[in-house]
Amino acid sequence: MDCAYFDAGRCRSCSLMGQPYADQLAGKQAHAEALLAPFAVDSWLTPVASAEASYRNKAKMVVGGTVDAPTIGILDADGHGIDLQACGICSPGHRAAFPAIARFITLARIRPYDVATRTGELKHLIVTESPDGELMIRFVLRSTEPVARIRKHLPSLLAELPSARVVTVNLLPEHKAVVEGADEIVLTEQQTLPMRLNDVTMHLRPQSFFQTNSEIAAALYAVARDWIRDLAPDSAWDLYSGVGGFALHLATAADASGTGPAPVAGGPQVTGIETSVEAVASAELSRSDAALERVRFAAGDATAFALGAEASAVPDLVVVNPPRRGIGPELAAWLEASEVSNVLYSSCNAASLAKDLAAMPSLRPVRARVFDMFPQTTHFEVMVLLERRVPVVE
């Protein structure tokens, strides 16, 4: 993939831009295999490749420039806006929406935030596109000052962008290097964005995490479901469950013809644990819509939940999909000492995965696969299925 912004030195976010994609994928596979070599993975499956371009379903853009000529992209070293509305890794829906949103910024007189002077209102624009082409648009503001004007002119934006289903204002009053704040004002009647992957529909609320690459996320969940189906667990925990991607796929499976969802022997009893209350609300809505009575979600810390569980409640399977830091020593120690038969570990940082595996020597990696969630960058997802070693009786 080629990028005019990268070639001109205007944006260097995609560090592998211009490198042949086959080489990128081979390098990620080699890196993952090298990091996990000490654990003697039984079987490495072929890596799952992504589309090279237009793969991002979520664009987090800094708004700069002026109210009459806003930029949507990033800031340079001096805090000036660099416009990236034609960014090639953003989805086609993003690229079609950016010009209309720029015109709306001017129409509603939403002054872009100036980092140097700490004046202005509009800091970031966060746009998510669903697999069905619908949009969630979030304006990250310093205060509520522009909200009345945004409400007044919102019908014009919705008329120009009929794909926009959810529009919100997020409030970030502090001057700090974060993308969004804690408070959200939903301006549309529809409050969640349906994200349909495989035969599962997840409802995405504004502050809920969702995998960046819908195509690869669908593959990740489908492979996880295949691996788990072979295990046929009666009970499972999905720790760091987010909006429920793994839990909902675990609880459903394709019927014999492969044309639709059906319970697998009633499905396992699944518990999803996630710190984000917004994500839990999203997951509960999806569970309710799918009528999955043996699935529940709760807000809480994954490690605290596991450490506080009664021995009789320990499941057959634990799924973990932690942030880049990994699951950490406490949860790894609990899994090592537990009677959990299998662990499915999905990691966005193979280095922290390797560190966690070293702390769980009783759990043997039997399958591993790389999923290229982030083409043109060094990042990737790797999923490993762990099986408890059977003690040798002498």
Side-chain angles (χ1 to χ4, degrees):
M1 175 182 170
D2 294 318
C3 174
Y5 298 128
F6 185 88
D7 292 342
R10 293 174 62 79
C11 177
R12 292 284 179 169
S13 299
C14 296
S15 59
L16 300 184
M17 185 64 69
Q19 184 179 126
Y21 183 62
D23 293 347
Q24 293 184 33
L25 197 59
K28 293 177 183 185
Q29 179 72 19
H31 184 54
E33 290 189 16
L35 285 170
L36 301 192
F39 311 105
V41 178
D42 283 359
S43 174
W44 278 98
L45 282 73
T46 303
V48 179
S50 170
E52 296 183 45
S54 303
Y55 68 83
R56 287 194 67 95
N57 59 32
K58 187 174 187 178
K60 302 177 182 179
M61 309 296 260
V62 181
V63 181
T66 66
V67 70
D68 290 309
T71 61
I72 297 175
I74 58 175
L75 300 180
D76 65 15
D78 297 320
H80 300 133
I82 296 177
D83 196 82
L84 302 177
Q85 291 188 42
C87 174
I89 66 170
C90 288
S91 74
H94 291 143
R95 296 195 295 272
F98 290 149
I101 296 173
R103 289 189 289 271
F104 179 77
I105 291 169
T106 300
L107 176 66
R109 311 307 293 171
I110 317 170
R111 186 181 171 194
Y113 184 71
D114 184 271
V115 174
T117 63
R118 302 191 182 187
T119 59
E121 287 292 340
L122 182 54
K123 295 182 173 182
H124 302 110
L125 177 68
I126 304 174
V127 183
T128 303
E129 183 178 20
S130 77
D132 294 320
E134 297 182 331
L135 298 176
M136 177 187 290
I137 301 171
R138 302 171 62 206
F139 296 94
V140 181
L141 304 177
R142 185 168 65 98
S143 76
T144 58
E145 186 275 330
V147 173
R149 296 193 304 279
I150 293 174
R151 287 187 187 274
K152 175 183 176 181
H153 295 288
L154 185 57
S156 68
L157 178 62
L158 298 179
E160 188 171 1
L161 281 178
S163 58
R165 292 290 181 268
V166 183
V167 179
T168 77
V169 163
N170 177 272
L171 297 177
L172 179 60
E174 302 88 356
H175 179 85
K176 59 183 181 181
V178 296
V179 176
E180 60 187 271
D183 297 324
E184 199 91 20
I185 304 170
V186 181
L187 304 177
T188 48
E189 182 178 354
Q190 185 169 320
Q191 299 191 16
T192 65
L193 186 68
M195 302 292 285
R196 182 173 53 84
L197 299 184
N198 304 314
D199 49 25
V200 173
T201 297
M202 288 161 278
H203 292 271
L204 186 64
R205 295 173 69 87
Q207 295 187 37
S208 301
F209 168 79
F210 196 82
Q211 296 284 7
T212 301
N213 187 325
S214 296
E215 177 187 4
I216 298 301
L220 180 74
Y221 296 141
V223 171
R225 185 160 62 181
D226 286 345
W227 290 2
I228 291 166
R229 184 188 291 112
D230 293 342
L231 302 176
D234 290 326
S235 57
W237 291 349
D238 179 8
L239 305 182
Y240 312 93
S241 58
V243 296
F246 282 105
L248 295 168
H249 279 79
L250 170 57
T252 60
D255 60 22
S257 65
T259 58
V264 179
Q269 189 78 42
V270 183
T271 300
I273 301 297
E274 167 60 43
T275 57
S276 168
V277 174
E278 284 286 297
V280 170
S282 296
E284 272 294 298
L285 178 58
S286 303
R287 179 205 62 78
S288 177
D289 276 1
L292 297 172
E293 297 181 357
R294 289 172 59 81
V295 181
R296 76 175 186 95
F297 295 94
D301 177 76
T303 300
F305 175 81
L307 269 57
E310 298 289 339
S312 59
V314 173
D316 301 320
L317 169 72
V318 172
V319 178
V320 290
N321 182 26
R324 289 189 61 79
R325 65 177 179 272
I327 63 174
E330 283 189 286
L331 183 52
W334 182 88
L335 286 167
E336 169 66 16
S338 75
E339 295 184 0
V340 173
S341 300
N342 294 95
V343 174
L344 185 73
Y345 193 135
S346 182
S347 171
C348 61
N349 183 356
S352 61
L353 168 62
K355 185 176 181 180
D356 290 335
L357 291 181
M360 301 185 291
S362 296
L363 290 161
R364 179 173 62 93
V366 293
R367 296 180 192 171
R369 194 167 196 179
V370 167
F371 296 78
D372 194 12
M373 195 75 71
F374 312 98
Q376 316 307 331
T377 78
T378 59
H379 302 295
F380 58 90
E381 194 90 6
V382 59
M383 188 164 65
V384 179
L385 178 63
L386 307 174
E387 179 181 83
R388 188 163 298 281
R389 298 177 190 271
V390 178
V392 178
V393 179
E394 298 183 357

